[in-house]
Amino acid sequence: MEKQKLQELLLDMSLTEKIEQLLQISGAYLENEGMVTGPENTVGFTQEEVELAGTVLGSVGAAKLRGIQKKYLEKQPHRIPLIFMADIINGYRTIFPIPLAQGCSFDPQLACRGAEIAARESAAAGLHLTFSPMVDLVRDARWGRVMESTGEDPYLNSRFAEAIVEGYQGKKCDDGSVDLKKRGKIAACVKHFAAYGAPAAGRDYNTVELSERTLRDDYLPSYQAAIDAGAAMLMTSFNTLDRIPSSGNRRLMRDILRDEMRFKGVVISDWAAIEEMLNHGIAEDRKEAAKLAIEACVDIDLVTTCYCRNLESLVKEGIVSEALIDEAVMRILELKNQLGLFENPYKDADEQEEKELILCKEHRLEARKAAADTFVLLKNENILPLKKDGQKVAFIGPHVESRKIIGAWSLFGKEEETVSIADALKARGIAAAVAKGSAVLDDNRGLEMFGDYVDYQKDAAAAAELLEEAVTAAKEADAVVLALGEHRVQSGEAASRADIGIPECQMELFDAVLAVNPNVIVALFSGRPLDIRKISAKARAVLAVWQPGTEGGNAIADVLYGDVNPSAKLAMSFPWSVGQVPVYYNEMHTGRPYKEGMKDKYLSKYLDIPNRPLYPFGYGLSYTTFEISPVRLSCNTIVRGQGESVSAGVTVKNTGTAAGKEVVQLYIRDHAASVARPVRELKGFEKIALAPGEEKEVIFTITEDMLSFTNIDMEFTSEVGAYSVYVGNSSETENEGVFTLI
Ligand code: GLC
């Protein structure tokens, strides 16, 4: 429909009808179905509100959504169709590894393929838009939603943000638009704006205190990347910034998001976030909350009555201009138009295609390959890969037979469709000893609402029996794979943990197995970096497999048996202990920087633990070895403002006996500037495949723009001075070159 027609439609709508377009209801109101992903609504909706709401969240299924849309249009005065939205975070039914794991692949195209597959499956199931990508920068492993992010680095997060938006929506057209009508594509919603990933104490929904400079240089780049890739919608965050909740923060949402970052799409509040301004204490009542939010250009009120019960009187009392309502409604109508819903309100909903696409062989294969490329080999004392013949391996631990390995946000994934490690062994014809050894958890504190779904220790006698079986299996094996780590519900939303260690019952199993067999390999399941000091010290190998998704078991077997050589690198630091958190590589020097081994007392350090994490950002081993030559710079000086650049080149050689992939990383350190600058920052990476003995040159081009930051005057610019360039295989590389910007 052309723009003119949309204008005419808007003019023809009553104020009530326009305001109803700004309401999103949960599918639970339409079909007694649909996912509820937040506190149950305290105030129910009237039948009229349900019948006129502009968008729906959480309902899926081609037949069901066609039925809802058909019934809705029969009553809709202007036959304006619904948009169906849901949280498709790491897959619809073919579940990919959690986003944090995908970030570790350092392969944005892996995430793009995952998003493409999620779009294909969910579009056939009738969905039009997903509340993804979540691009929040994270530095605190206590926060449960780190599993949803791609980690602690602004540059890495930005590359993944744009790749995931492209996977869902397709590439931008030459004119900068995105063709959302395309079959098998869904609209993307970047979230949570802004800086939701920095809650005080790692406690979900807690206060965020950041300087504006840190917000701009560390947190905003990934939202900007998603916006530049064409993300159709953006979701506000629950948290306050500068003591103002995002959904009511006019400066953040209008001045920064709309004006500076040039976001023109729809803004939706997070679940009940407009109403929650009452809890924050910045709105006396829902009417005031509605006023604050519409003035902060929040277009859609997600599942509360703030807008639909108050905007009309705010307009009639002259407190809110109707122009603000029209602006919001027009953005929603334009999104429906971009999706082609006026011409085809059912878009791709197709029962036959739904059956053919969901979990098809191709999708499963992609999910399996992706998972294997997200596993980080943290330690390997020549025990991996396992031998395919002549080696007796026992697979022990609460995650060996578990299919609860698809992550916290796989709302539509089904565990019965998931491949466990035990399933994979059977599929390979490996008759290995399997023993559970222990429950996942010592108790179900904080997880009571999950009932028996959570596997925790209930009975000491039964636990003793499990342990005994495991020790017997370990005794008779040449090597033991111990599948340990978190339950899938221990991370995700409202799942912060103050203790990020491994439960006692699992550590008891670890110690008991180690006592009878020193050849222990730990496959570590988690939605976050964990405190694994003891495991790391005593196991011969540790493979972080995160929450690997539908094909997780097969991917783990592929890597353990060497069919796939692990190539992932940490996208988030593994802390030494929770006391070190938040810990991240791109920290500041401080006035008293400490280097390991320094003896002075008055330095920025701990009395009881080291400063460096257990495993740093960008770190990960392979079954082969690589050599990276000293970095070669094309020149030592470039002139500011002349568009000049410097090249940094290395030669990478596979010096081992197995083919493998290396992630060559480029970091830059600004020696001195008008404000303190990080000890180094990732500014490029390249993942290259090398056969044994093969070598390749990797060259990075360093432009002046890559040196820019928010300076003392809050301007985004570069400054003259000396810069170090580091090129290596982790954030701790000392392979350095120096150049000067004059
Ligand atoms: C949740 C989450 C958000 C999600 C939304 C809709 O509370 O914070 O990420 O997209 O509600 O389910």
Side-chain angles (χ1 to χ4, degrees):
M1 187 190 288
E2 356 25 289
K3 179 98 179 174
Q4 181 54 35
K5 285 266 183 258
L6 285 181
Q7 289 290 2
E8 287 161 14
L9 171 58
L10 183 71
L11 287 172
D12 202 42
M13 291 165 73
S14 69
L15 181 57
T16 307
E17 211 191 330
K18 287 192 280 190
I19 289 169
E20 285 295 335
Q21 279 296 312
L22 311 185
L23 167 63
Q24 175 162 116
I25 53 169
S26 146
Y29 283 93
L30 290 169
E31 288 282 309
N32 299 318
E33 289 253 318
M35 287 291 167
V36 176
T37 52
E40 280 296 350
N41 195 300
T42 48
V43 180
F45 294 104
T46 64
Q47 192 51 32
E48 189 202 31
E49 286 160 349
V50 168
E51 284 171 359
L52 284 175
T55 56
V56 178
L57 98 148
S59 287
V60 293
K64 182 191 298 165
L65 297 192
R66 295 182 76 92
I68 291 175
Q69 188 75 288
K70 184 170 179 304
K71 213 164 100 184
Y72 176 85
L73 288 171
E74 284 159 6
K75 294 202 173 112
Q76 223 295 330
H78 286 89
R79 291 189 59 74
I80 300 170
L82 283 166
I83 300 179
F84 292 111
M85 307 186 182
D87 294 281
I88 311 296
I89 308 299
N90 46 298
Y92 173 60
R93 287 281 293 284
T94 304
I95 303 300
F96 270 60
I98 55 174
L100 184 58
Q102 294 187 36
C104 293
S105 71
F106 275 73
D107 179 2
Q109 283 313 302
L110 175 151
C112 182
R113 277 196 307 280
E116 279 170 353
I117 287 172
R120 249 183 258 144
E121 291 190 354
S122 59
L127 277 173
H128 303 142
L129 181 144
T130 177
F131 300 121
S132 168
M134 184 274 215
V135 302
D136 302 314
L137 183 98
V138 294
R139 293 172 158 163
D140 191 326
R142 293 171 296 183
W143 191 49
R145 300 191 76 165
V146 300
M147 54 76 61
E148 248 179 292
S149 76
T150 49
E152 70 189 50
D153 181 74
Y155 179 82
L156 185 68
N157 288 346
S158 300
R159 302 297 70 77
F160 273 89
E162 57 203 20
I164 294 169
V165 169
E166 225 167 84
Y168 289 132
Q169 300 188 156
K171 275 190 183 307
K172 282 190 356 181
C173 309
D174 295 345
D175 65 2
S177 67
V178 180
D179 177 6
L180 293 179
K181 294 188 183 73
K182 256 192 213 146
R183 193 161 188 80
K185 292 298 175 191
I186 56 175
C189 171
V190 57
K191 67 187 186 183
H192 307 79
F193 196 75
Y196 178 34
R203 199 178 76 224
D204 208 350
Y205 317 122
N206 205 0
T207 305
V208 170
E209 286 294 354
L210 290 176
S211 70
E212 177 158 333
R213 183 170 286 108
T214 299
L215 173 71
R216 287 176 176 279
D217 285 359
D218 296 357
Y219 289 82
L220 295 189
S222 51
Y223 304 110
Q224 186 68 68
I227 292 168
D228 293 349
M233 192 161 89
L234 174 138
M235 181 180 280
T236 64
S237 61
F238 291 118
N239 57 284
T240 56
L241 258 176
D242 200 14
R243 299 190 179 180
I244 308 166
S246 304
S247 303
N249 189 333
R250 220 179 10 213
R251 176 151 189 279
L252 178 71
M253 303 306 291
R254 275 196 180 282
D255 303 349
I256 295 179
L257 176 67
R258 291 283 186 208
D259 299 346
E260 274 188 51
M261 298 173 75
R262 303 176 311 287
F263 181 63
K264 306 214 177 328
V266 173
V267 170
I268 186 169
S269 77
D270 200 339
W271 185 284
I274 295 177
E275 187 173 81
E276 287 176 4
M277 284 197 265
L278 280 69
N279 298 337
H280 281 291
I282 71 150
E284 283 293 334
D285 53 30
R286 288 182 174 80
K287 187 168 183 177
E288 188 176 5
K291 174 179 176 300
L292 291 171
I294 198 76
E295 287 173 349
C297 73
V298 177
D299 301 320
I300 298 179
D301 176 359
L302 210 165
V303 301
T304 84
T305 57
C306 293
Y307 275 11
C308 61
R309 299 268 173 89
N310 297 289
L311 282 180
E312 190 143 353
S313 54
L314 284 164
V315 170
K316 288 182 174 155
E317 290 159 25
I319 299 169
V320 166
S321 145
E322 187 163 356
L324 281 185
I325 310 289
D326 291 349
E327 238 183 66
V329 176
M330 182 47 85
R331 283 190 283 260
I332 294 166
L333 295 178
E334 279 170 349
L335 178 54
K336 295 183 176 187
N337 199 32
Q338 280 177 324
L339 285 160
L341 297 178
F342 287 102
E343 292 77 25
N344 172 11
Y346 307 106
K347 197 168 182 300
D348 304 344
D350 180 315
E351 289 176 76
Q352 185 51 32
E353 198 169 37
E354 192 179 23
K355 282 196 197 79
E356 286 163 5
L357 282 175
I358 285 177
L359 287 160
C360 65
K361 209 161 145 230
E362 179 213 340
H363 291 181
R364 276 189 175 270
L365 192 58
E366 283 292 341
R368 178 170 177 168
K369 281 191 311 185
D373 281 350
T374 66
F375 300 158
V376 186
L377 183 59
L378 297 173
K379 181 179 181 185
N380 184 23
E381 287 173 343
N382 299 320
I383 189 168
L384 285 177
L386 297 171
K387 298 181 185 66
K388 289 184 176 170
D389 301 305
Q391 185 181 30
K392 200 169 172 214
V393 181
F395 286 81
I396 297 172
H399 294 294
V400 172
E401 296 171 284
S402 170
R403 297 191 178 112
K404 296 178 169 57
I405 57 174
I406 55 177
W409 268 106
S410 306
L411 304 182
F412 307 101
K414 297 186 188 311
E415 290 171 7
E416 58 272 26
E417 295 162 350
T418 301
V419 178
S420 68
I421 293 175
D423 296 330
L425 296 172
K426 280 194 198 88
R428 282 168 166 264
I430 297 172
V434 168
K436 185 177 178 192
S438 80
V440 175
L441 295 165
D442 299 318
D443 54 51
N444 68 338
R445 263 175 313 144
L447 302 169
E448 295 82 358
M449 77 288 288
F450 293 101
D452 284 342
Y453 176 70
V454 166
D455 171 20
Y456 63 94
Q457 192 141 301
K458 299 186 185 73
D459 165 351
E465 206 177 307
L466 281 179
L467 196 61
E468 196 181 329
E469 282 164 13
V471 169
T472 306
K475 270 182 189 156
E476 292 157 9
D478 301 322
V480 176
V481 172
L482 257 179
L484 304 177
E486 283 188 321
H487 192 291
R488 76 180 269 218
V489 299
Q490 283 187 279
S491 58
E493 185 171 357
S496 294
R497 292 181 62 195
D499 171 356
I500 55 174
I502 302 285
E504 262 314 299
C505 60
Q506 293 190 41
M507 287 314 292
E508 203 182 335
L509 171 63
F510 176 73
D511 291 337
V513 164
L514 206 64
V516 298
N517 192 326
N519 301 321
V520 171
I521 297 135
V522 170
L524 184 72
F525 289 78
S526 72
R528 54 161 58 86
L530 296 176
D531 173 352
I532 56 166
R533 261 172 297 165
K534 198 173 166 194
I535 284 177
S536 168
K538 298 187 170 182
R540 283 189 61 190
V542 181
L543 181 72
V545 299
W546 310 107
Q547 291 281 329
T550 302
E551 284 289 323
N554 279 329
I556 291 168
D558 291 343
V559 169
L560 290 179
Y561 280 98
D563 295 335
V564 175
N565 185 353
S567 61
K569 304 280 185 179
L570 288 178
M572 188 175 184
S573 308
F574 259 66
W576 180 268
S577 74
V578 73
Q580 211 180 48
V581 165
V583 62
Y584 46 95
Y585 86 93
N586 41 3
E587 61 178 4
M588 296 298 164
H589 292 274
T590 78
R592 299 192 173 183
Y594 168 74
K595 282 258 178 293
E596 265 173 66
M598 290 168 92
K599 297 296 176 215
D600 310 31
K601 172 176 172 53
Y602 299 100
L603 294 169
S604 179
K605 63 183 171 57
Y606 301 98
L607 292 178
D608 51 353
I609 63 170
N611 283 13
R612 73 180 289 274
L614 187 66
Y615 294 109
F617 175 86
Y619 168 85
L621 300 175
S622 166
Y623 291 155
T624 189
T625 50
F626 297 97
E627 202 173 79
I628 297 180
S629 73
V631 59
R632 301 177 294 273
L633 298 186
S634 58
C635 60
N636 296 323
T637 308
I638 55 174
V639 181
R640 186 163 182 271
Q642 302 302 310
E644 296 183 358
S645 61
V646 52
S647 297
V650 291
T651 305
V652 187
K653 181 172 184 177
N654 180 339
T655 50
T657 55
K661 295 177 196 164
E662 179 59 296
V663 178
V664 186
Q665 301 154 50
L666 166 73
Y667 296 89
I668 290 180
R669 176 166 77 88
D670 184 346
H671 287 206
S674 58
V675 297
R677 305 278 292 117
V679 295
R680 60 179 73 185
E681 297 175 286
L682 183 74
K683 292 293 180 186
F685 59 87
E686 193 174 326
K687 189 164 195 175
I688 57 171
L690 290 172
E694 185 185 5
E695 61 181 47
K696 268 183 195 162
E697 207 178 20
V698 173
I699 295 179
F700 295 103
T701 300
I702 299 164
T703 62
E704 188 180 327
D705 190 49
M706 288 160 70
L707 311 177
S708 297
F709 64 100
T710 303
N711 75 357
I712 191 78
D713 301 319
M714 296 305 281
E715 294 153 350
F716 187 74
T717 181
S718 63
E719 291 180 356
V720 296
Y723 293 83
S724 286
V725 176
Y726 301 95
V727 180
N729 63 0
S730 101
S731 58
E732 294 189 331
T733 179
E734 289 305 335
N735 187 16
E736 179 182 14
V738 179
F739 73 92
T740 308
L741 180 68
I742 57 172

